Amino acid sequence: MSEARFDELIHPSTRLSLVATLAAADWAEFAFLKERLNLSDSALSKQLATLEEAGYVATERRLDGSRRKVRARLTPTGRKAFDGHIAALQEIVTAASPPEDHAR
């Protein structure tokens, strides 16, 4: 289990959704991510670039016939950051939950 660590880079909802989607796949095509997250090309490109710059995501550009295709995946660093962020969120939720009533 990863060390619980809140990650400000991953936390914004768009990036968190993007990283969570990538965490569930080996590679994800740009078109799939765009549709799944309901983002424009430019918005998705910006989020991927931010995560790639941090070392959390790797992208691959290739030709498919005459079309350029982009796909993305989480790096080991990105996986560790995501797992740590989720663990930190779970700790926050657990701390905010009322204690179980054992007197019933």
Side-chain angles (χ1 to χ4, degrees), residues 7 11 46 73:
D7 192 305
H11 192 68
K46 180 179 178 183
R73 68 172 175 84

Side-chain angles (χ1 to χ4, degrees), residues 3-12 15-16 19 51 54 56 77-89 92:
E3 177 186 342
R5 185 178 155 270
F6 194 85
D7 192 305
E8 295 286 345
L9 184 70
I10 292 175
H11 192 68
R15 276 191 226 128
L16 185 57
V19 172
L51 292 166
Y56 288 6
T77 300
R79 170 70 64 182
K80 183 177 178 182
F82 176 68
D83 290 346
H85 188 71
I86 295 304
L89 292 175
I92 291 168

Side-chain angles (χ1 to χ4, degrees), residues 8-30:
E8 295 286 345
L9 184 70
I10 292 175
H11 192 68
S13 63
T14 300
R15 276 191 226 128
L16 185 57
S17 296
L18 175 55
V19 172
T21 301
L22 292 173
D26 186 27
W27 285 93
E29 296 290 334
F30 188 92

Side-chain angles (χ1 to χ4, degrees), residues 41-63:
D41 286 355
S42 62
L44 179 54
S45 291
K46 180 179 178 183
Q47 298 306 325
L48 285 171
T50 298
L51 292 166
E52 192 168 26
E53 196 173 290
Y56 288 6
V57 168
T59 58
E60 180 180 90
R61 289 154 180 79
R62 63 194 194 299
L63 283 176

